[in-house]
Short mmCIF file of all heavy atoms in Angstrom, two decimals:
data_model
loop_
_atom_site.label_atom_id
_atom_site.label_comp_id
_atom_site.label_asym_id
_atom_site.label_seq_id
_atom_site.Cartn_x
_atom_site.Cartn_y
_atom_site.Cartn_z
N ASP A 31 90.83 94.33 94.67
CA ASP A 31 90.50 93.60 93.43
C ASP A 31 91.64 92.69 92.99
O ASP A 31 91.42 91.58 92.54
CB ASP A 31 90.21 94.59 92.28
CG ASP A 31 89.00 95.44 92.58
OD1 ASP A 31 88.10 94.94 93.28
OD2 ASP A 31 88.97 96.60 92.11
N ILE A 32 92.86 93.20 93.13
CA ILE A 32 94.02 92.40 92.72
C ILE A 32 94.05 91.10 93.54
O ILE A 32 94.20 90.02 92.98
CB ILE A 32 95.36 93.14 92.96
CG1 ILE A 32 95.39 94.44 92.16
CG2 ILE A 32 96.53 92.26 92.59
CD1 ILE A 32 96.72 95.18 92.30
N PHE A 33 93.87 91.25 94.86
CA PHE A 33 93.88 90.07 95.74
C PHE A 33 92.81 89.07 95.32
O PHE A 33 93.10 87.91 95.10
CB PHE A 33 93.60 90.49 97.19
CG PHE A 33 94.84 90.84 97.96
CD1 PHE A 33 95.44 92.08 97.79
CD2 PHE A 33 95.39 89.95 98.86
CE1 PHE A 33 96.58 92.41 98.49
CE2 PHE A 33 96.54 90.28 99.56
CZ PHE A 33 97.14 91.51 99.38
N ARG A 34 91.58 89.58 95.20
CA ARG A 34 90.45 88.68 94.87
C ARG A 34 90.68 87.96 93.55
O ARG A 34 90.52 86.74 93.48
CB ARG A 34 89.14 89.48 94.82
CG ARG A 34 88.49 89.64 96.19
CD ARG A 34 87.12 90.27 96.06
NE ARG A 34 87.19 91.64 95.61
CZ ARG A 34 87.46 92.69 96.40
NH1 ARG A 34 87.64 92.49 97.70
NH2 ARG A 34 87.52 93.91 95.93
N ASN A 35 91.10 88.70 92.51
CA ASN A 35 91.29 88.08 91.20
C ASN A 35 92.45 87.08 91.19
O ASN A 35 92.32 86.01 90.63
CB ASN A 35 91.55 89.15 90.12
CG ASN A 35 90.26 89.86 89.76
OD1 ASN A 35 89.18 89.29 89.87
ND2 ASN A 35 90.38 91.11 89.36
N ALA A 36 93.56 87.47 91.82
CA ALA A 36 94.73 86.60 91.82
C ALA A 36 94.44 85.29 92.54
O ALA A 36 94.87 84.22 92.12
CB ALA A 36 95.92 87.31 92.45
N VAL A 37 93.65 85.39 93.62
CA VAL A 37 93.30 84.18 94.37
C VAL A 37 92.37 83.32 93.51
O VAL A 37 92.56 82.11 93.40
CB VAL A 37 92.65 84.55 95.72
CG1 VAL A 37 92.03 83.33 96.37
CG2 VAL A 37 93.68 85.19 96.65
N LYS A 38 91.41 83.97 92.85
CA LYS A 38 90.45 83.25 92.00
C LYS A 38 91.16 82.57 90.82
O LYS A 38 90.89 81.42 90.51
CB LYS A 38 89.39 84.23 91.49
CG LYS A 38 88.07 83.57 91.13
CD LYS A 38 87.02 84.59 90.72
CE LYS A 38 87.31 85.13 89.33
NZ LYS A 38 86.46 86.28 88.98
N GLU A 39 92.08 83.31 90.19
CA GLU A 39 92.77 82.79 89.01
C GLU A 39 93.93 81.85 89.39
O GLU A 39 94.60 81.30 88.51
CB GLU A 39 93.35 83.94 88.17
CG GLU A 39 92.37 85.04 87.85
CD GLU A 39 91.59 84.77 86.57
OE1 GLU A 39 92.19 84.18 85.66
OE2 GLU A 39 90.41 85.12 86.52
N ARG A 40 94.20 81.75 90.67
CA ARG A 40 95.30 80.92 91.17
C ARG A 40 96.64 81.25 90.50
O ARG A 40 97.38 80.36 90.08
CB ARG A 40 94.96 79.43 91.01
CG ARG A 40 93.65 79.04 91.69
CD ARG A 40 93.42 77.54 91.76
NE ARG A 40 94.54 76.83 92.42
CZ ARG A 40 94.69 76.75 93.72
NH1 ARG A 40 93.83 77.32 94.53
NH2 ARG A 40 95.71 76.10 94.22
N THR A 41 96.95 82.53 90.38
CA THR A 41 98.27 82.94 89.89
C THR A 41 99.29 82.59 90.98
O THR A 41 98.90 82.39 92.14
CB THR A 41 98.33 84.45 89.63
OG1 THR A 41 98.26 85.13 90.89
CG2 THR A 41 97.18 84.93 88.74
N PRO A 42 100.59 82.51 90.62
CA PRO A 42 101.59 82.14 91.64
C PRO A 42 101.50 83.03 92.90
O PRO A 42 101.52 82.52 94.03
CB PRO A 42 102.92 82.35 90.92
CG PRO A 42 102.60 82.20 89.47
CD PRO A 42 101.19 82.68 89.29
N MET A 43 101.37 84.33 92.71
CA MET A 43 101.30 85.23 93.86
C MET A 43 99.95 85.11 94.57
O MET A 43 99.86 85.31 95.78
CB MET A 43 101.54 86.67 93.41
CG MET A 43 102.99 86.98 93.15
SD MET A 43 103.99 86.76 94.65
CE MET A 43 105.58 86.44 93.91
N GLY A 44 98.91 84.81 93.80
CA GLY A 44 97.58 84.60 94.39
C GLY A 44 97.59 83.41 95.33
O GLY A 44 97.04 83.46 96.43
N VAL A 45 98.24 82.34 94.90
CA VAL A 45 98.35 81.14 95.73
C VAL A 45 99.15 81.47 97.00
O VAL A 45 98.76 81.10 98.11
CB VAL A 45 99.01 79.98 94.93
CG1 VAL A 45 99.32 78.80 95.84
CG2 VAL A 45 98.10 79.55 93.79
N ALA A 46 100.24 82.22 96.84
CA ALA A 46 101.06 82.61 97.99
C ALA A 46 100.24 83.46 98.97
O ALA A 46 100.25 83.21 100.18
CB ALA A 46 102.30 83.38 97.53
N LYS A 48 97.03 83.56 99.35
CA LYS A 48 95.96 82.79 99.98
C LYS A 48 96.48 81.97 101.16
O LYS A 48 95.80 81.80 102.17
CB LYS A 48 95.29 81.86 98.95
CG LYS A 48 93.99 81.28 99.45
CD LYS A 48 93.19 80.65 98.35
CE LYS A 48 91.84 80.17 98.84
NZ LYS A 48 91.93 79.17 99.93
N LEU A 65 101.92 90.69 93.70
CA LEU A 65 100.56 90.74 93.14
C LEU A 65 100.39 91.97 92.24
O LEU A 65 99.83 91.88 91.15
CB LEU A 65 99.52 90.79 94.26
CG LEU A 65 99.27 89.49 95.03
CD1 LEU A 65 98.50 89.77 96.31
CD2 LEU A 65 98.51 88.50 94.18
N GLU A 68 102.30 91.35 89.00
CA GLU A 68 101.54 90.47 88.09
C GLU A 68 100.47 91.27 87.37
O GLU A 68 100.27 91.14 86.17
CB GLU A 68 100.85 89.36 88.89
CG GLU A 68 101.71 88.18 89.23
CD GLU A 68 100.93 87.09 90.00
OE1 GLU A 68 99.79 87.34 90.46
OE2 GLU A 68 101.47 86.00 90.16
N ARG A 69 99.77 92.12 88.15
CA ARG A 69 98.67 92.89 87.58
C ARG A 69 99.16 93.92 86.56
O ARG A 69 98.55 94.10 85.51
CB ARG A 69 97.89 93.57 88.72
CG ARG A 69 96.69 94.39 88.28
CD ARG A 69 95.63 93.50 87.64
NE ARG A 69 94.53 94.27 87.06
CZ ARG A 69 94.56 94.78 85.82
NH1 ARG A 69 95.62 94.61 85.06
NH2 ARG A 69 93.52 95.45 85.37
#
Side-chain angles (χ1 to χ4, degrees):
D31 296 330
I32 300 183
F33 271 79
R34 275 188 293 279
N35 285 331
V37 168
K38 205 176 74 190
E39 310 271 326
R40 304 190 56 81
T41 68
M43 283 298 155
V45 171
K48 193 167 184 301
L65 286 166
E68 278 181 348
R69 181 65 187 85

